[in-house]
Structures are given as C-alpha cells and as structure tokens.
Amino acid sequence: MSDAHVKFNLGNPVEDSEEEVFLPPAPLLAGAHVAGLPSYHEMYSDSINNSDAFWKKIAQELHFFEPSNNGLEYNFDSRKGPIFTRFMAGAKTNISYNCLERNIQRGYGDRVAYLWEGNEPCDSNTITYNQLHEQVLNFSAVLRAHGVKKGDVVAIYLPMVLELAVAMLACARIGALHSVVFAGFSADSLASRIVDAKCKILITADGFFRGPKAVILKPIVDKAIEISKEQGVNVESAIIVEHLNRATAPNGHPAPTVDCSKGIYHKYFSEMQKYKGVDSPVEWMDAEDPLFILYTSGSTGKPKGILHTTAGYMTYVYATCKYNFDLHHENEKDIYWCTADCGWITGHSYLLYGPLMNGVSSVFFEGVPSYPDASRLWAVTEKYKVTKLYTSPTAIRALMAFGDQFVTKHDRSTLSILGTVGEPINPAAWRWLHKVVGEARCSIVDTYWQTETGGHMIVPLPGATPQKPGSATLPFFGVNAVLLDAEGRVIEGPGEGNLCFGKAWPGMMRNVYGDYERFVKTYMQPFPGYYFTGDGARRDDDGYIWITGRVDDLMNVSGHLLSTAEIEGALTQHPKVAEAAVVSAPHDIKGSYPYAFVTLKNGERLSKELIVELKQIVREKIGAIAQPDVIQEAPGLPKTRSGKVTRRILRKIAEGCDSGLGDTTTLVDETVIQQLISGRDNRA
Ligand code: 6R9
C-alpha cells in the first residue's frame, strides 16, 4: 500500500458514521515511541524499502549469543521454488534468556514480572523476574531429568497458573517445543494434538476453578493418554501441578480431591524440590530452530500445528508488543494486562513472550470477566493500577450488556491504552470501550492478526494512528497488506477483497508441523506470490483496512476460530446422524455461533434427547466452545451436482432470511430450501 492511500478529512467528524476519527490522546502522543502519523509513515516506508536493515536494527535490542549478517529472506511464490521464510539465519539466541536473564542483567531482577490474580479475588501472588528465572531454571532441570531434549515436543495442558508460564519458558530454555493445549479442550482434542506431535511428556494440573465451577482435568488427561496410546503414541510421563488444594474454592465448598500419585504421574512441586539447585544451562538455538507448535482450526477439520521458529518470532513479538502497547521498560509504572489464556496465540505472544522481553510487569489472570460479578476486569484494573489492557470484543460486548455502573464504580484513571483482538470489534462496542471504560482518554488499539502471523499485522499505533471505530486501521511495520479479487488481481485504492500479505515478516509461520504440503496448499497456493489470511477485508478512502470476516469454512465464535468440518465430523459420529452441515450465524455477544443442520438416518426424528446427545458429542470430541447453539433437522441439504453443500444458502437460512438466497439453480433439488425455511420453526 502506498502512503498516498492515507488521507484524512478531519474537518467534520460525523457522529456514528465511518467518518468519525479519534486522534491519539495528547499525553500518549507526547511520550510515545512513535509519535504522530508522519513518524509512522516514515518508519513504515523504511520498513518496506529497507526491511533487512529495519528488522536487524530492532533485533539489536535483543540478545544474540552469535550474530548473523543475514536478514529477512523469503520466497512466497511456489512457481519459483520452495516456500520459505528465514530471519537472521545462522545467528544463535534463546527467547527464554531474552525474557529473563537479559532483564536481570539490566537491573530488573527485583521487578515484578507477573501479578497473578486467581479465580477468587482473595487469591493473588506476585513473582519477580529473579524468582521467575529461578523457577524456570529449576523446571528446565526437571524436564531434562525426564529425558526432554532439544527438538522434543512437550504437551502442556494447564489452566492459567504461573506454572504455565514457567513450563513454556523452561521448554524454550532447553530448546524443546511447547505445544500448549487450551484447558477447555476435550480429551479427544488433547489426544489428537499429543498424537500429531508425538509428545512423550505432558505437563498438566489436577484441576482448577473457573467462575463458580470446578474443572477437574486429571480424568480428561487420563482419557487423552489412553486414546493416544491406542493411536500408537505413548506418553511416558505426566508432571502434574496440584492446584486445587492451594486455590480458594468458590462458595466456600471444599476442593475436590484428586489422586495424582499413580501411574505415569509425577507431582510438580516434589519434582521441583528434587532438582532444585541442579544447573541447567540455556540451549543456544539457531535462529530458525523451531520454538513452538500451536494448533489452530483448519477448514478440512483436522487442526493444523502452526510452527514458529526462534529469532523471527522473537523479534516480531518484541517489536509489536513494544510499539502497539507503547511499552517503556524504564517506566516501572507501566502495568500491562492481557486477559488472554496462554492456550491461544494471544497468550503466547502478548502475555508471555512480548511483555517479558519488554521488561514490564503484567497481570496474569486465572478467572473470568463475569466472576464474582461483571465488574471483575475493572476491579482488577483498579487493584493493580493497570495502564494497558488487552482483551476481546466478545468480553467487551458481554460486559456492556450489564450496564455502565459495573465499570464506573472502579477507578480506571491509570488506563491509557485499550487493546482488542480475536474478531472485528463492532463500532458500538468500540465506542463504549472508548467512552465508558476509557473515559474518552485512551487509545483504542484494534489488533488484527492470526496464530499463523505470530504477531499483530494490521493495527493502529497508540500515539500515532487516528482511530476509526471498527477498523484495524493500517499495517504494522514491514507488513505489505494487499487486497486481491477472486482472480488474484490486486485491488488498488478503495475496494473489497481477499486479505493477503505480499512480503514476509519475521514472525511469519514456517510450516504446518509435519505437513509442508498442507502449509503451502492452505496459505500460499490460493494466490501465488502471497500469503492468504482466509479473511476478507475492505479498504476505505483513507487507506484504512476493515476486516469483514472469514471467507473460508472457519467461523469465529467469541474470538475463537472453529472449523465447520470438525464440528460436522463430531456430529456425524452419532449413530443416528446421516449427514451434518454447520454454518455460522450472527450473535450479539459472541459475534457468531455454530448453527447445525442435521440429516438423520431413516425414520429417526430430532427429539429433545437427541439434541442433548448431539450437543454432548461435540463437547466430548472438541470442547464446550464448539457446541452448536442451534440444531435443526434437515430432511435434505442443498447440494450442487458435484455434491458440495452450498453453505452460503444455509448461512442465509440460519440468519433468518426467507428470500434473497442467491443463485439456487445449480442445486440438485431446490425444494429442500423451502423445507429448511419452514423447518426453522421447529429448531432447538
Ligand atoms: C490473534 C487471533 C485469527 C482470526 C483472523 C480473523 C480473526 C483476529 C481480529 C480478527 C477482525 C481483528 N481476527 N483479530 N478479525 N479484527 N482485530 O485471534 O488468532 O485465533 O488464529 O484467529 O481471527 O478472522 O483470521 P487466531
């Protein structure tokens, strides 16, 4: 995108229209790393025209054990040879060292790394950079004692306890790849991730409290280990954090007891005691050595293990975190809070690695925004004097519904930046965040990015970019955001199309773990020469990007990507289901929700009991987040002659449309549409 696209007519901002522009607040602008739009343009041009020098200069702010003359090398066009991205090839470094030792060396050892806030407001704890380093070193010795070496994959299935940060950093310290699985996923989901990466070791917990509920993880883990074994992968040891007993149980109920002493289980705290004081040196990693795998939904149903490597991910996450939250390590008053779970990429990049590399103090939150009541986020903000808060549009929309008094009863005067991630933020939620939460004094940073991109791609700089409610605004440094039409032609200027990136950036994924072909096919083949995001976007007259949503078979529920094919796969495992088609339907708070059409086997009808069973099977096979809100019986599904289900029609039906369904002439049987429209009345 050329700078010419960015022009502003700030003369007459019109309330509630796209034209409304919010300028960066003056106090932020004064001390920001990048102050004012012209500075952004200057740095952006430099990052595009001299990308090697630009990124190498940023990398110099981090510690490299051995430097390299290489910069950013890549090929995005499979017609010219294999697809690859490399950054600083030949250099040696370690991200865990950059998070811990580097900060200790610059005198921040006694600074708080994390302010841990438990599920119950009375449970809290702090850990300094020195203490975190000590625990990471200790746990890395435990991992080594259990036979973990450089290149092994360690599965981590933990709630939001500090041991999760310790475990991830300990893996990185010794060059083992972590594969974190969100603790809300089912035994089947955990097993499929263990099997895909052949994990021999698993780090987990007995259980945890989430809002008013207890979640017991151990039986889920037992089952996942059993399933993995059946599929040929033997988990040899599981290290288990006994968390239930040290946490305060909601409503004063006693914590359930879970026996963690048998079989392959080793208790975390006794293992730590056993290997205390044992030296466990940092493994100096090649720049392109793998750092971690994180699974994300794939259109074909099977999750993809997104692989990130060392130096590129490290540099990109460090830079995006520094600039987009305007973090200043010299400023001890900067209290940053990312509410994401480490089971998602946001937790990896902007709760763990990003803030630690930037040497700031962060809140690490185990609970949920609605517990004990809808004021929790603001109570915690007041308690720790949070300056920068990073959360999701779905949380904002849910809290908005409770009313302003939950927010306004707490002091939020320390806040200066409010970030969002995961899905488009609708202008109404944006304005509420700006006006009610931020008292019209904060920059709103709507960050567009993906597990695959490692870090932010389209994002306003808080002290530089004028913000428009609902737009992720402009590309980050080094990002060449391009819109392509269906034929792959570049759309210059204003218009709408497929969002692609025409240049590599250091944090770009390197592969789908163990499946290079799938990597190329999914991301690089749809538009040769470009990385394809799977999202649609629009560019306005000012050059601002507005993400319009997924254009593939993925759906975004509360900021979590789900695969329609994976949910359909779970539903069709029920013996009474012949066929299933799942689409996303709009939802006020979640953004969208899964809506399932099921065709039942001969003579079966969709009873209340069957609906419960179908929802249960999805919970079991994938997890609660994937459970369809609505299940409708479909005597038949609209299909083309080649047998493809036309989801665009089902989507319209789910949305409640009776007409305007688009072209239906390619369908084998058009009458099913009327049946589905009238069948909507009986859905449940
Ligand atoms: C970081 C993360 C990625 C997908 C992405 C897009 C959607 C994320 C967004 C957004 C509009 C934003 N998405 N941030 N859409 N505006 N600010 O969420 O990663 O879980 O891989 O999801 O989420 O559809 O392609 P991931």
Side-chain angles (χ1 to χ4, degrees), residues 296-297 306 344-346 350 390 393 420-425 445-453 456 458 470-472 533-536 546-550 554 556 559-561:
T296 185
S297 297
I306 304 301
W344 310 107
I345 190 68
T346 306
Y350 299 109
Y390 191 29
T420 66
V421 58
E423 59 190 307
I425 177 162
V445 180
D446 173 0
T447 63
Y448 168 83
W449 60 296
Q450 308 179 297
T451 305
E452 293 86 338
T453 68
H456 303 151
I458 301 185
S471 169
T533 60
D535 286 303
W546 302 70
I547 309 296
T548 52
R550 301 292 309 184
L554 296 183
N556 195 324
H560 301 311
L561 277 194

Side-chain angles (χ1 to χ4, degrees), residues 506-663:
M508 154 84 176
M509 70 183 286
R510 302 302 199 252
N511 201 0
V512 169
Y513 188 70
D515 199 345
Y516 176 77
E517 231 169 85
R518 190 172 181 202
F519 163 58
V520 174
K521 202 167 150 215
T522 311
Y523 303 102
M524 310 306 294
Q525 256 166 17
F527 300 102
Y530 297 90
Y531 165 89
F532 174 45
T533 60
D535 286 303
R538 184 166 62 79
R539 190 191 288 119
D540 71 14
D541 290 340
D542 293 318
Y544 271 40
I545 307 273
W546 302 70
I547 309 296
T548 52
R550 301 292 309 184
V551 293
D552 54 14
D553 287 338
L554 296 183
M555 69 174 88
N556 195 324
V557 177
S558 301
H560 301 311
L561 277 194
L562 300 174
S563 148
T564 52
E566 198 181 6
I567 305 175
E568 287 160 6
L571 291 168
T572 49
Q573 284 185 37
H574 193 286
K576 291 183 178 162
V577 174
E579 218 177 353
V582 175
V583 295
S584 77
H587 188 281
D588 282 351
I589 289 171
K590 301 192 217 180
S592 48
Y593 68 89
Y595 187 123
F597 294 89
V598 290
T599 307
L600 301 174
K601 290 191 181 152
N602 253 347
E604 299 290 350
R605 292 311 308 264
L606 189 64
S607 60
K608 277 207 175 89
E609 293 73 36
L610 184 52
I611 288 169
V612 172
E613 284 173 28
L614 290 176
K615 290 189 175 179
Q616 183 57 27
I617 205 164
V618 177
R619 291 174 82 96
E620 254 168 45
K621 299 287 164 199
I622 309 172
I625 45 169
Q627 176 183 293
D629 295 41
V630 175
I631 299 183
Q632 180 181 336
E633 186 173 340
L637 292 169
K639 285 186 188 167
T640 61
R641 275 164 224 288
S642 59
K644 210 170 181 312
V645 174
T646 41
R647 281 163 208 289
R648 105 191 121 70
I649 295 175
L650 290 176
R651 227 173 278 137
K652 292 258 180 198
I653 295 174
E655 275 170 28
C657 304
D658 296 340
S659 54
L661 302 177
D663 181 19

Side-chain angles (χ1 to χ4, degrees), residues 372-394:
D373 65 34
S375 68
R376 188 68 185 277
L377 292 192
W378 327 116
V380 173
T381 298
E382 178 174 354
K383 178 171 173 187
Y384 298 112
K385 301 190 167 37
V386 173
T387 56
K388 289 147 190 189
L389 172 69
Y390 191 29
T391 189
S392 65
T394 196

